[in-house]
Amino acid sequence: MEKNKAPLFTFSIIAIIVGVALYKQFDFETLKFEKTGLAIVYMIVFIASIYIIIKGLKERKHQQGPNN
């Protein structure tokens, strides 16, 4: 189970950094991103990292069993 903690932590850090970068690039007055191409790449990485985090948490919960 110790192997599962490192990727979850790593992808959590990635999600935080990319999420902050997306937030900083978004212009709330015009409701557009400053650099659209870079924002698309950031969005893909952000969604993938959130997916991996959720998948890892579900697997960890499944491995612990219903009694724990």
Side-chain angles (χ1 to χ4, degrees), residues 28-61:
F28 287 98
E29 291 179 9
T30 61
L31 299 176
K32 294 182 179 178
F33 287 101
E34 293 175 12
K35 299 176 183 175
T36 308
L38 190 59
I40 291 171
V41 173
Y42 283 166
M43 188 67 70
I44 291 169
V45 172
F46 182 74
I47 291 171
S49 62
I50 295 297
Y51 173 76
I52 291 171
I53 291 169
I54 292 172
K55 183 179 172 185
L57 290 175
K58 284 184 180 180
E59 286 178 5
R60 184 187 301 176
K61 186 175 180 181

